[in-house]
Amino acid sequence: MRRGHETMIGRRSDTSLRLHRVRITDRRLRPWTGRRLRRVDATARVDDPVDVIRELGPSRRYEHMLEQIAHDLKNPLQAIALETGLLHGKLAIGDAEIRATVARISRNVSFLDRMVQDLLDCCSIASGHFEIRRRPTELRALIAQVVDRVVSARDSGRVWIEASAPLTLLADELRIERVIANLLHNALKYAPRPTLIGIRLEVVDNHARISVIDTGPGIAVAEAERVFDRYHRTPSGVHDGSGLALHISKRIVEAHDGRIGVDSVEGRGSRFYFELPMT
């Protein structure tokens, strides 16, 4: 930021939030924009908080609004997920129909939560603040958890897992879980019943590779080249998502120094896969 440029920061006093105009004179200070500040001049009081948003460019304003909406959605979604889990646990074993209904609610809440998380990650990437938190992650157990949460009882017979042994590596478990869930949901969405869907875990050239394989309609070559683009939607007419899932999955895998791709033949099915380094 050039000398003499002014921007807005918030300062909380008691219970009110005051916004002040600041002049860049001290490199040790950082505003919420993530840029370095110099001397602070708090003499100019700004009464309208919307001015903070107006100071941003059109693209950043859009990302900021999306980020706020996504954050606002997180708490009610978490509350619904918690209450649904408690309700499911309290239902009598004999209430099969009610339990199935609660399970459907839970799966849809999980789907909405993935969309919100994808949106938050998209905003973090756009602002340059995207970070992953690696820890030991056992991939075979993670795949089983995703299948249990994403796949309905109606589709449970369609999904098979091929993983001969446990496989542990350092990864951001929650985000890799979301990548697997996004790929599996994509296969369930496009591959018609009763075609089968497989999830394979294997080691290839010192990389852990997870593949989601379906025998659905497949993807044209030109379409496959764009399928990981941001907000891209296929021309199939199946549009029940944000258009971010595959793009965010790609960015998550790349942040792990891995790679993601798709092999597909129209009329015969697709294989979406990603690879993560073992070391």
Side-chain angles (χ1 to χ4, degrees):
M1 188 176 288
R2 293 187 179 90
R3 181 181 296 273
H5 182 80
E6 293 183 341
T7 188
M8 308 301 302
I9 62 171
R11 175 175 297 174
R12 186 167 295 279
S13 175
D14 299 327
T15 59
S16 63
L17 179 66
R18 296 185 178 181
L19 298 176
H20 301 277
R21 191 171 301 277
V22 298
R23 184 170 296 276
I24 312 309
T25 55
D26 189 345
R27 296 179 181 228
R28 293 171 300 174
L29 298 177
R30 287 179 178 267
W32 63 276
T33 57
R35 299 179 179 179
R36 294 185 184 275
L37 288 181
R38 298 180 183 174
R39 188 182 59 213
V40 177
D41 177 10
T43 58
R45 172 74 180 271
V46 179
D47 295 321
D48 187 0
V50 177
D51 283 349
V52 175
I53 308 302
R54 289 173 179 163
E55 293 248 339
L56 303 174
S59 177
R60 186 66 189 104
R61 279 202 300 267
Y62 177 69
E63 299 292 347
H64 182 82
M65 290 169 59
L66 287 180
E67 188 173 16
Q68 294 305 309
I69 292 170
H71 275 297
D72 289 345
L73 287 172
K74 282 296 296 178
N75 286 340
L77 279 175
Q78 289 173 349
I80 294 171
L82 176 62
E83 295 296 336
T84 303
L86 292 173
L87 179 60
H88 192 272
K90 291 179 179 179
L91 289 173
I93 297 177
D95 296 333
E97 185 175 349
I98 298 177
R99 289 174 66 88
T101 300
V102 174
R104 283 195 299 272
I105 295 171
S106 181
R107 282 193 302 275
N108 279 282
V109 170
S110 295
F111 173 66
L112 289 174
D113 184 64
R114 288 200 307 276
M115 290 180 63
V116 170
Q117 292 292 350
D118 286 344
L119 191 56
L120 287 171
D121 278 350
C122 180
C123 296
S124 296
I125 291 167
S127 64
H129 297 145
F130 184 66
E131 297 179 355
I132 60 172
R133 297 174 176 83
R134 300 176 191 262
R135 67 175 186 175
T137 301
E138 205 284 281
L139 295 179
R140 187 174 70 170
L142 191 63
I143 291 171
Q145 291 173 16
V146 171
V147 170
D148 183 62
R149 194 183 74 248
V150 173
V151 181
S152 67
R154 183 182 180 187
D155 287 320
S156 60
R158 300 176 58 199
V159 179
W160 52 268
I161 299 175
E162 182 182 314
S164 58
L167 186 58
T168 302
L169 48 70
L170 291 177
D172 189 321
E173 181 175 334
L174 293 178
R175 285 195 167 102
I176 294 302
E177 179 183 28
R178 211 161 78 241
V179 173
I180 300 169
N182 284 341
L183 297 185
L184 179 56
H185 177 79
N186 193 66
L188 289 166
K189 180 168 62 175
Y190 289 103
R193 295 185 179 95
T195 58
L196 299 180
I197 296 168
I199 306 178
R200 178 179 295 143
L201 172 63
E202 56 190 333
V203 177
V204 179
D205 296 331
N206 204 34
H207 283 67
R209 177 189 289 171
I210 296 178
S211 304
V212 177
I213 306 159
D214 68 70
T215 53
I219 307 172
V221 174
E223 187 68 19
E225 293 176 350
R226 302 175 54 211
V227 74
F228 294 103
D229 290 352
R230 185 181 180 187
Y231 298 129
H232 178 68
R233 295 177 182 272
T234 65
S236 67
V238 183
H239 296 158
D240 65 346
S242 63
L244 283 173
L246 292 180
H247 173 72
I248 294 299
S249 296
K250 180 176 184 287
R251 300 302 292 265
I252 290 173
V253 171
E254 290 176 343
H256 284 79
D257 301 317
R259 72 186 193 98
I260 190 169
V262 57
D263 299 322
S264 186
V265 177
E266 279 192 278
R268 296 182 59 183
S270 303
R271 178 178 73 98
F272 282 83
Y273 65 91
F274 67 95
E275 298 176 352
L276 302 176
M278 296 291 295
T279 56

